[in-house]
Amino acid sequence: MLSGRMMDFPLTIAHLLERVGSVHGHVEVVSTLPDKTRHRGTFAELHERSARLANALTKLGVKAGDRVATFAWNHRQHLECYLGVPAMGAVVHTLNLRLHPTELAYIANHADDQVVVVDLSLWPLFDKFRGEIKNLRHVLVVRDTGGPAPEGTLDYEAVLADASPTFDPPALDENAAAMLCYTSGTTGNPKGVLYSHRSTVLHAMIAGLPDAIGLSADDVVLPVVPMFHASAWGLPYVAALTGTRIVFPGPHLDPASLVKLMAEERVTVAAGVPTIWMGILQLLDAAPEKVDLSCVRTMIIGGSAAPASMIEGFSKRHGLEVTHAWGMTETNPLGTVARVKRHLRGDAAKELALRATQGFAVPFVETRHVDSDGKVLARDGQVMGELEVRGPWVASSYFGDEGADRFTKDGWFKTGDVVRIDAEGYVTITDREKDVIKSGGEWISSVALENALMSHPAVAEAAVFAAKHPKWDERPVAAIVLKPDAKADKDSLIEHIRPSFPKFALPDEVVFIEQIPRTSTGKFLKSKLREQYGDILVDKA
């Protein structure tokens, strides 16, 4: 046997904390406050304050493995929790502020949260369920609106001021839990996913690659995606690793505020769900003068499929590139990125089609799709099946060992996404398994119909769902939100998409609504549409 081997050096977030201080101390952190002013700090300050937080939590009795929850917007204090809490051995648990108080109480108790760090601006919502958190010991209040911390709580800044700025991280197992995130829970109770130190650091390393999200010290990143959603797609950790200047939007997620922030802070990479970018595209299209976003290198879009018309609209009308990505809470979260391979470039239409897919797997993530019997399907770009994934930052179980049926015996995670995969490995999501339309034995892709409908100039948003049918069991129905002052009817919309689909796939009915219901993470909530309009075809029969 050959002698000599590599050091047994653990991959932990404590290293990222050390790195922001020793290597990237000059890098700026910008946080937008509720009053729209901006706080400017540095990574050196981030390092010191995260160290103080780690020491303060230890002093408060927080031990390794304890859950420290956050209930906060995207800002520097939230980033301090991302680094300081795991570095001292505890687990940072991000609570989704868009959920109902009942769901939040369930999640906080399921996670057994001991401490909560909460923004004062969110106190009215937090106060609705804090009394239900059974084992809550301490509440630290970030006074983002300037008022005093409520009685019985601790002032976050005062707690940090009383703690030592010198922190010596304990020896940590790289496989120990670092972060706890919960799924959106559209069916049943939300489920927890524990991210280990190792998986989080590996994810940051790969996500930073040029053909993945691709951040470097030359970039300025704007995580529009909330820090309470799948660790803001890992972007804060990638920034800490690479020394990327980071700009936080705080509570101001409207298109005008985001465009202003991107232009003034010279953002190069921004990331968010399609609904965010749809609003920004509409704003840019309507702007009387061209907004200078020449600084933006790419906009990462994930969370749900972005229509090709939106990708093309940004490119042709505004010179802005969209990069499609796919992932889930269970994949920590990055799984695939839609980069166009060099040998596939040259034809604009084909390149757009590839950019509108979910892309191919990033390194160390493996993908396959299977039929209802678990048989692996051919990568021919045609046959549809459920996407399964595996890799070093993909969950192997849920917190508390719930949902065992989502994990196969041979080590794959069943995503619930119905997809096609082509010979190049490009994944195209055609539906969620629970939303797929099965009409007379044929599968119909609601996503493809939605993307086609949203290419109509009058359509702002489209959601296609399965409605009951007396003969075909299910048929597609389209829910349409029109752009302001725009007009369209069922016939004009169907004619617009008719050339792209076989007759059996065209929607039987179109309903015009003011707003499409969404989940807490911005995805279309089709179960609500089915509740409201699921009998529309039966009633008309």
Side-chain angles (χ1 to χ4, degrees):
M1 181 180 292
L2 296 175
S3 63
R5 59 192 180 94
M6 297 295 103
M7 291 182 180
D8 186 13
F9 189 89
L11 303 179
T12 70
I13 292 172
H15 172 72
L16 300 187
L17 174 57
E18 187 277 334
R19 186 173 176 82
V20 299
S22 65
V23 178
H24 300 309
H26 64 286
V27 176
E28 191 177 38
V29 180
V30 180
S31 298
T32 308
L33 304 179
D35 64 2
K36 293 197 174 183
T37 60
R38 295 174 199 162
H39 178 277
R40 298 182 184 276
T42 65
F43 273 25
E45 294 168 351
L46 170 65
H47 174 267
E48 178 185 319
R49 288 171 59 83
S50 299
R52 287 180 181 273
L53 176 62
N55 286 323
L57 291 173
T58 302
K59 190 175 180 180
L60 288 171
V62 175
K63 297 179 176 61
D66 286 351
R67 267 72 75 193
V68 176
T70 60
F71 197 62
W73 299 107
N74 290 16
H75 49 52
R76 64 183 178 117
Q77 292 93 340
H78 209 160
L79 183 55
E80 291 159 12
C81 293
Y82 265 48
L83 295 172
V85 173
M88 55 83 64
V91 180
V92 60
H93 169 214
T94 52
L95 285 167
N96 185 338
L97 57 89
R98 291 177 182 156
L99 295 178
H100 189 275
T102 302
E103 287 182 292
L104 287 164
Y106 168 83
I107 291 171
N109 285 315
H110 188 272
D112 192 23
D113 291 332
Q114 309 280 308
V115 177
V116 178
V117 178
V118 58
D119 286 349
L120 185 58
S121 61
L122 294 170
W123 183 262
L125 177 56
F126 177 68
D127 199 34
K128 291 180 180 179
F129 68 94
R130 69 173 177 129
E132 302 299 317
I133 306 176
K134 297 176 181 177
N135 294 322
L136 182 61
R137 290 187 283 150
H138 302 289
V139 177
L140 279 62
V141 176
V142 176
R143 295 185 300 109
D144 58 340
T145 54
E151 186 177 351
T153 68
L154 300 172
D155 184 308
Y156 182 90
E157 293 299 328
V159 168
L160 262 61
D162 289 341
S164 171
T166 303
F167 173 67
D168 185 17
L172 298 171
D173 183 341
E174 65 176 16
N175 291 307
M179 176 174 279
L180 177 59
C181 297
Y182 277 73
T183 62
S184 55
T186 55
T187 56
N189 288 321
K191 295 180 177 63
V193 183
L194 278 172
Y195 299 167
S196 68
H197 283 263
R198 179 177 183 269
S199 70
T200 302
V201 173
L202 277 173
H203 179 275
M205 292 166 63
I206 297 302
L209 292 175
D211 283 336
I213 291 177
L215 293 184
S216 78
D218 293 328
D219 280 310
V220 180
V221 65
L222 171 65
V224 181
V225 54
M227 293 176 75
F228 59 71
H229 177 51
S231 72
W233 299 350
L235 291 171
Y237 290 124
V238 181
L241 186 74
T242 57
T244 302
R245 181 171 176 259
I246 190 164
V247 177
F248 289 121
H252 306 292
L253 304 179
D254 60 285
S257 295
L258 291 172
V259 167
K260 178 180 173 66
L261 189 62
M262 290 164 70
E264 293 181 351
E265 297 295 339
R266 308 307 292 165
V267 168
T268 63
V269 179
V273 297
T275 49
I276 291 289
W277 303 114
M278 287 176 189
I280 287 177
L281 180 59
Q282 291 178 32
L283 183 146
L284 295 178
D285 285 344
E289 297 182 3
K290 185 175 177 62
V291 180
D292 181 12
L293 292 179
S294 58
C295 53
V296 178
R297 178 165 60 80
T298 191
M299 299 175 298
I300 309 294
I301 297 185
S304 57
S309 58
M310 183 177 74
I311 297 173
E312 186 177 35
F314 272 118
S315 177
K316 285 191 172 181
R317 299 196 293 275
H318 305 288
L320 295 171
E321 178 187 281
V322 166
T323 300
H324 223 171
W326 170 88
M328 307 177 73
T329 302
E330 293 89 342
T331 64
N332 197 16
L334 188 63
T336 66
V337 178
R339 301 289 185 184
V340 180
K341 299 179 184 180
R342 183 174 181 177
H343 72 282
L344 299 176
R345 298 171 192 161
D347 183 304
K350 290 182 179 179
E351 286 193 29
L352 176 61
L354 290 173
R355 291 187 183 279
T357 70
Q358 279 56 59
F360 53 92
V362 298
F364 296 111
V365 172
E366 297 179 356
T367 60
R368 71 182 187 184
H369 63 326
V370 301
D371 64 15
S372 57
D373 295 322
K375 178 184 175 183
V376 179
L377 299 171
R379 294 189 167 204
D380 60 5
Q382 299 297 320
V383 62
M384 291 190 292
E386 183 181 5
L387 176 65
E388 296 183 346
V389 297
R390 66 181 180 185
W393 54 81
V394 178
S396 62
S397 65
Y398 286 112
F399 181 58
D401 292 325
E402 298 174 337
D405 59 328
R406 297 285 297 277
F407 304 91
T408 70
K409 292 182 179 179
D410 56 343
W412 294 78
F413 170 66
K414 301 168 67 68
T415 67
D417 282 327
V418 178
V419 305
R420 297 189 298 266
I421 305 178
D422 71 11
E424 294 281 352
Y426 283 88
V427 175
T428 300
I429 291 179
T430 60
D431 237 315
R432 286 291 291 166
E433 189 177 37
K434 63 180 181 290
D435 292 329
V436 70
I437 302 167
K438 298 175 182 177
S439 181
E442 296 286 349
W443 282 18
I444 299 173
S445 169
S446 67
V447 174
L449 287 168
E450 288 162 2
N451 289 344
L453 287 164
M454 281 189 277
S455 70
H456 190 286
V459 176
E461 293 181 336
V464 176
F465 59 96
K468 298 174 186 176
H469 193 276
K471 180 178 180 180
W472 303 113
D473 190 30
E474 293 180 344
R475 291 293 300 153
V477 170
I480 301 294
V481 176
L482 295 176
K483 294 178 182 177
D485 301 322
K487 294 182 179 180
D489 57 20
K490 172 186 173 180
D491 291 342
S492 64
L493 294 176
I494 298 301
E495 286 305 312
H496 178 73
I497 65 173
R498 188 182 299 278
S500 302
F501 296 91
K503 184 177 179 181
F504 77 85
L506 295 173
D508 278 18
E509 189 58 78
V510 174
V511 293
F512 294 91
I513 59 179
E514 292 186 2
Q515 186 176 13
I516 294 173
R518 286 184 169 79
T519 69
S520 61
T521 54
K523 299 177 183 179
F524 291 155
L525 191 55
K526 296 184 182 181
S527 59
K528 290 292 184 183
L529 292 172
R530 288 193 294 270
E531 287 177 14
Q532 189 168 359
Y533 301 104
D535 293 327
I536 189 172
L537 302 178
V538 176
D539 295 340
K540 290 187 175 183

